Amino acid sequence: MSYLKKSPWLIHYDGSSCNGCDIEVLACLTPLYDVERFGIVNTGNPKHADIFLVTGGVNTQNLPVVKQIYEQMPEPKVVIAVGACACTGGVFHDCYNMLGGMDKAIPVDVYVPGCAARPEAIIDGVVKGLTVLEEKQKALAVSVSAGKKEEEIELAPQAVMNERQEGSGCSSR
Amino acid sequence: MGKSTVIPFGPQHPVLPEPIHLDLELQDEKVVRASTSIGYVHRGLEKLVEKRGFQEYVYVAERVCGICSFGHGWGYSKAVEGLMGIEVPKRAEYLRTIWHELSRLHSHLLWVGLGADGMGFESLFMHAWRLREIILDIFESTTGGRVIFSACKVGGVRRDIADSELKEIVARLDKLKKEIDAMIYIILGDETIHARLRRVGVVTLEDAIALGCVGPTARASGLPLDYRCGDEGGAYKDLGFRPITETEGDCFARCKVRLRELLQSIDIIKGCVENMPAGDIAVPVKGFPPAAEHFTRVEQPRGEALYYVKGNKTKNLERFRLRTPTNVNIPVLVKMLQGCDLADVPNIILTIDPCISCCER
Ligand code: SF4
């Protein structure tokens, strides 16, 4: 990865973390580490985000929330689990209310260790996530430009969507 | 009046770093009823005392909350020390006070940033967090950790701070103080901030007492509730501590209380450094906690936290209970939200400085 074609936007959600990792994620955005100089912006809207930074493990109550945010994000997307909690459950792994690390809920691409994960490690994780993002982007693009058959498959969802919109106006649900 | 609409707020929301869910019932732009639901961060930490040894549990207690991490470690250690009748050396108490007040500085600066971000004052957010890094640097040079640093243990502290280093800390804080002064000047003089915070979310003294507010939320309504002035350990008693209060009880008063506490914390740390006693930093801990119970309090950045422990003559405690400030401040939050404008909701939530991970443990 030599340069970025696109500024990656990220969304942050606190699963059931202790805050330690959250404030380190925020510290990445503020003047000392300042990832905004690489064009990385923290957005509150999952529909704008390419990268999902998630801290803390999953429990029964936040499981649907995490899944929902993940599903709302457009493809290609990368999930980065920040901190020991998000990777495996960390110190809380044997608490009665913990289901475990984030990979119990959604597919995780990059794991950032540490308790609390240091901002340098988080930035490293995001950079690694960008490579994964690029790969995923390529994988999506290949199927469009390759053989005709694949093109049809790739276009299928679009066609379906158009049909639906034509069929039932904009209130299709 | 038209019919009311219910707007869900959270758990994932741009102004909230942590998940809390509110259902806001609106009539036009006014909130008529707010109900909270929590539980997104619940882990079940208290029960973990049954699985971890009583000395080992300090690490878990520190992870109740990453912002006031040191305070929770201290509160737990203090409760166990009280239970086992351990006398902590004076120097350890002073060192604990220094780290605790540094935590308060970093917590309040963090809050200034989040509060500013909630109002849309992005440059102030960045500025406050830049200042906060100075505190984190001090943590890192004295303990090795940035936010969670495990300096406290049952019976004392894990690391000493050399006297030369203490002097350096004071020099750094002096520099920080100048910057904080400048920041306070901006906040108190900014018309937009006045317009957003004044007479918004008012808590009267009666309400504060009736609903059991703690911390800066209570002190902003004129209730001088601060356990640093009690006989609760640390160096506060030697240094002569007076709580800071304001009387208006609105969002702006809560903001002012925290800003003044920033300066007060710097003074406390300086006082500790000047009067730092020599001696040991920890005493050895022998045996297991007796079959008895004990409770103690610590004044966290967000208010009073209460720690209860019960032993049973084994390596593990039988029960640990923690009552955290945010938990206690939620009733008053609900009260404040009734009748406010929708646009003020983020400000009101942020000025009680909610820490959901403490709240739910
Ligand atoms: S990994 Fe450690 S610091 Fe991070 S959220 Fe979990 S307990 Fe807190």
Side-chain angles (χ1 to χ4, degrees):
Chain A
M1 188 191 67
S2 50
Y3 70 98
L4 298 174
K5 288 216 188 74
K6 164 182 194 311
S7 302
W9 284 20
L10 52 88
I11 181 168
H12 164 229
Y13 181 73
D14 165 357
S16 59
S17 85
C18 78
N19 263 341
C21 289
D22 298 307
I23 54 180
E24 292 295 57
V25 167
L26 285 178
C28 293
L29 302 166
T30 49
L32 185 65
Y33 295 97
D34 194 18
V35 292
E36 264 190 49
R37 66 204 148 122
F38 305 127
I40 300 174
V41 176
N42 186 19
T43 158
N45 188 343
K47 298 200 169 93
H48 297 167
D50 309 294
I51 297 180
F52 187 15
L53 268 188
V54 49
T55 54
V58 267
N59 61 30
T60 26
Q61 191 163 0
N62 72 29
L63 183 73
V65 182
V66 174
K67 278 203 171 140
Q68 199 179 22
I69 296 175
Y70 179 75
E71 275 154 21
Q72 284 174 349
M73 286 171 63
E75 291 284 356
K77 53 193 163 190
V78 170
V79 178
I80 304 181
V82 176
C85 284
C87 295
T88 61
V91 268
F92 313 126
H93 69 98
D94 51 353
C95 283
Y96 62 83
N97 199 35
M98 290 286 288
L99 299 179
M102 263 307 149
D103 42 13
K104 292 263 171 9
I106 49 176
V108 175
D109 298 293
V110 181
Y111 296 86
V112 178
C115 179
R118 295 182 60 88
E120 292 92 337
I122 299 176
I123 295 173
D124 268 358
V126 172
V127 170
K128 189 143 189 233
L130 292 177
T131 327
V132 179
L133 189 68
E134 220 162 69
E135 276 163 22
K136 286 193 177 178
Q137 234 157 7
K138 271 197 204 121
L140 278 182
V142 162
S143 48
V144 179
S145 56
K148 212 180 175 191
K149 213 171 171 197
E150 264 176 314
E151 200 172 325
E152 275 168 18
I153 296 169
E154 183 54 35
L155 290 177
Q158 189 66 39
V160 170
M161 241 170 71
N162 287 345
E163 245 168 52
R164 233 201 251 153
Q165 274 172 2
E166 277 158 21
S168 55
C170 40
S171 64
S172 68
R173 200 31 116 97
Chain B
M1 279 261 175
K3 73 176 193 326
S4 56
T5 342
V6 176
I7 292 192
F9 190 93
Q12 190 268 331
H13 190 280
V15 307
L16 297 172
E18 292 179 273
I20 180 170
H21 179 83
L22 291 164
D23 277 318
L24 303 171
E25 200 178 316
L26 296 188
Q27 259 169 8
D28 299 333
E29 283 286 298
K30 287 258 184 270
V31 177
V32 286
R33 209 177 55 83
S35 59
T36 55
S37 62
I38 58 173
Y40 294 95
V41 199
H42 179 62
R43 291 148 286 175
L45 279 183
E46 290 174 358
K47 200 163 168 61
L48 217 54
V49 281
E50 293 170 11
K51 293 185 184 163
R52 305 280 204 283
F54 75 98
Q55 295 194 9
E56 197 190 357
Y57 189 80
V58 182
Y59 302 121
V60 181
E62 285 193 319
R63 283 160 179 84
V64 166
C65 166
I67 303 176
C68 32
S69 149
F70 183 82
H72 285 301
W74 185 15
Y76 171 79
S77 308
K78 208 160 76 171
V80 175
E81 283 152 12
L83 182 67
M84 299 178 68
I86 297 171
E87 185 87 27
V88 178
K90 215 56 215 251
R91 189 177 175 91
E93 289 283 14
Y94 273 66
L95 288 172
R96 284 175 176 187
T97 311
I98 290 181
W99 275 314
H100 191 52
E101 290 304 319
L102 284 171
S103 300
R104 189 182 315 275
L105 275 169
H106 116 77
S107 170
H108 281 359
L109 282 171
L110 182 142
W111 172 82
V112 171
L114 292 181
D117 192 37
M119 278 185 280
F121 198 159
E122 185 115 358
S123 53
L124 180 60
F125 166 46
M126 294 294 171
H127 187 61
W129 280 61
R130 183 177 66 79
L131 298 185
R132 180 178 157 264
E133 291 289 342
I134 298 174
I135 307 288
L136 296 189
D137 279 347
I138 298 178
F139 282 150
E140 201 170 351
S141 62
T142 53
T143 65
R146 272 168 56 89
V147 288
I148 295 190
F149 45 85
S150 305
C152 200
K153 65 173 182 180
V154 178
V157 290
R158 221 170 279 279
R159 275 167 192 260
D160 201 355
I161 308 181
D163 287 335
S164 57
E165 210 174 330
L166 284 173
K167 291 224 179 64
E168 203 205 307
I169 292 177
V170 170
R172 283 201 230 178
L173 289 179
D174 278 335
K175 244 201 234 151
L176 176 67
K177 182 160 185 279
K178 281 202 199 99
E179 302 225 32
I180 290 181
D181 277 335
M183 188 182 77
I184 292 180
Y185 180 75
I186 293 172
I187 297 176
L188 296 187
D190 190 287
E191 253 176 61
T192 322
I193 294 184
H194 277 255
R196 287 306 303 271
L197 299 184
R198 265 195 194 272
R199 287 179 290 282
V200 170
V202 179
V203 186
T204 58
L205 180 58
E206 292 75 41
D207 279 349
I209 296 169
L211 296 171
C213 286
V214 293
T217 314
R219 295 199 280 279
S221 304
L223 191 65
L225 195 68
D226 193 325
Y227 277 92
R228 284 179 286 173
C229 58
D231 189 11
E232 299 279 341
Y236 302 110
K237 207 176 173 200
D238 305 353
L239 298 176
F241 175 83
R242 306 207 114 224
I244 284 172
T245 54
E246 292 283 338
T247 48
E248 296 92 344
D250 53 3
C251 288
F252 195 67
R254 289 192 278 282
C255 180
K256 263 197 292 190
V257 166
R258 292 205 179 86
L259 293 175
R260 285 172 60 197
E261 280 184 3
L262 284 173
L263 301 176
Q264 187 191 34
S265 289
I266 295 184
D267 288 341
I268 294 175
I269 297 170
K270 280 194 196 158
C272 284
V273 171
E274 268 164 33
N275 303 314
M276 179 63 83
D280 286 341
I281 55 161
V283 288
V285 178
K286 289 194 202 85
F288 293 142
E293 41 187 16
H294 188 82
F295 87 87
T296 185
R297 292 179 277 226
V298 166
E299 183 72 24
Q300 296 281 14
R302 287 160 186 75
E304 163 207 351
L306 194 144
Y307 302 80
Y308 165 87
V309 288
K310 184 173 177 201
N312 58 0
K313 292 197 198 142
T314 64
K315 186 166 139 263
N316 299 330
L317 292 174
E318 189 166 313
R319 181 85 172 93
F320 169 58
R321 170 90 179 98
L322 167 58
R323 193 185 79 151
T324 52
T326 305
N327 218 331
V328 187
N329 279 337
I330 282 185
V332 82
L333 172 66
V334 171
K335 166 101 207 242
M336 275 192 276
L337 287 175
Q338 281 164 5
C340 77
D341 283 331
L342 179 63
D344 290 331
V345 170
N347 286 340
I348 292 178
I349 296 180
L350 287 172
T351 51
I352 72 157
D353 197 1
C355 172
I356 311 302
S357 107
C358 284
C359 173
E360 301 177 357
R361 305 179 293 288

